[in-house]
Amino acid sequence: MERWGADLYGDPCGGCGFEWSTTTEQAIELVRQLPSRCRALLHDRTGSELHPDLGWTVSGYVSHIVDNLRIWAERSAGARLGGATEVSGYDPDLIGRGRRYNDVALAGALWSLEHASREWVESITAALEADVVLVHADRGRQTAADVARNNAHDGFHHIWDIERTLGAVDTE
């Protein structure tokens, strides 16, 4: 198991409680369930809800989850299909500013999440079967199982951010 995530966030994660001993199968299932979890949480929301201590709205967090899943699905496919195993980091805040996360319509973000989750599951499952190993510029060697676990944490953690946001908005 790659220790990057646990070393950075704690085990379990000090914020969301994600346990880094989560199996690959559990990580994939967690990502598969992200769209239904978000729809259930946000069924009567506008997407513009904003926590006073956070920079992204609810739609912004959903959009970030989408982009993270798409980026890692693409990277995994690139390694599996084309041998491109070296990957760099990316700045989620810069992507968020460029895509104007806080202006994304919630319905569109949820639609994108449905597609991104499905495509990620397909890509990661294929990467696992092919024993893909990526070499991240900052994190080092990452197996497809490491990527699955890290991406599952990202989604799980940002669901927690969404829940915190809704809790803060509802108590105002």
Side-chain angles (χ1 to χ4, degrees), residues 45 51-52 163-172:
R45 303 300 180 145
H51 190 284
E163 291 170 338
R164 291 190 306 142
T165 298
L166 298 176
V169 167
D170 289 346
T171 59
E172 289 180 346

Side-chain angles (χ1 to χ4, degrees), residues 87-149:
V87 298
S88 62
Y90 74 90
D91 185 335
D93 294 318
L94 185 59
I95 292 173
R97 282 193 301 277
R99 290 217 322 112
R100 300 179 61 95
Y101 278 169
N102 289 348
D103 296 335
V104 173
L106 181 57
L110 291 171
W111 176 88
S112 283
L113 182 57
E114 188 75 42
H115 291 275
S117 172
R118 187 171 43 248
E119 292 163 1
W120 181 91
V121 168
E122 179 184 314
S123 182
I124 291 298
T125 300
L128 286 162
E129 291 169 0
D131 293 320
V132 165
V133 176
L134 299 173
V135 181
H136 190 281
D138 299 319
R139 300 175 192 171
R141 182 180 185 276
Q142 292 195 300
T143 66
D146 295 329
V147 171
R149 196 172 295 106

Side-chain angles (χ1 to χ4, degrees), residues 1-144:
M1 174 174 57
E2 181 246 10
R3 296 292 303 168
W4 172 84
D7 288 345
L8 183 60
Y9 296 103
D11 192 7
C13 174
C16 69
F18 181 85
E19 294 182 5
W20 292 94
S21 60
T22 295
T23 67
T24 304
E25 294 78 18
Q26 290 168 325
I28 290 171
E29 188 58 27
L30 194 152
V31 171
R32 187 186 324 268
Q33 292 176 8
L34 286 172
S36 61
R37 287 193 64 199
C38 282
R39 279 194 311 275
L41 275 172
L42 302 171
H43 74 277
D44 61 349
R45 303 300 180 145
T46 66
S48 63
E49 296 84 2
L50 179 66
H51 190 284
D53 299 330
L54 300 174
W56 291 336
T57 62
V58 165
S59 285
Y61 277 106
V62 174
S63 296
H64 166 69
I65 295 168
V66 166
D67 285 339
N68 191 60
L69 293 176
R70 284 191 172 143
I71 287 167
W72 285 100
E74 179 180 74
R75 288 173 171 185
S76 297
R80 181 176 61 84
L81 299 171
T85 60
E86 292 188 24
V87 298
S88 62
Y90 74 90
D91 185 335
D93 294 318
L94 185 59
I95 292 173
R97 282 193 301 277
R99 290 217 322 112
R100 300 179 61 95
Y101 278 169
N102 289 348
D103 296 335
V104 173
L106 181 57
L110 291 171
W111 176 88
S112 283
L113 182 57
E114 188 75 42
H115 291 275
S117 172
R118 187 171 43 248
E119 292 163 1
W120 181 91
V121 168
E122 179 184 314
S123 182
I124 291 298
T125 300
L128 286 162
E129 291 169 0
D131 293 320
V132 165
V133 176
L134 299 173
V135 181
H136 190 281
D138 299 319
R139 300 175 192 171
R141 182 180 185 276
Q142 292 195 300
T143 66

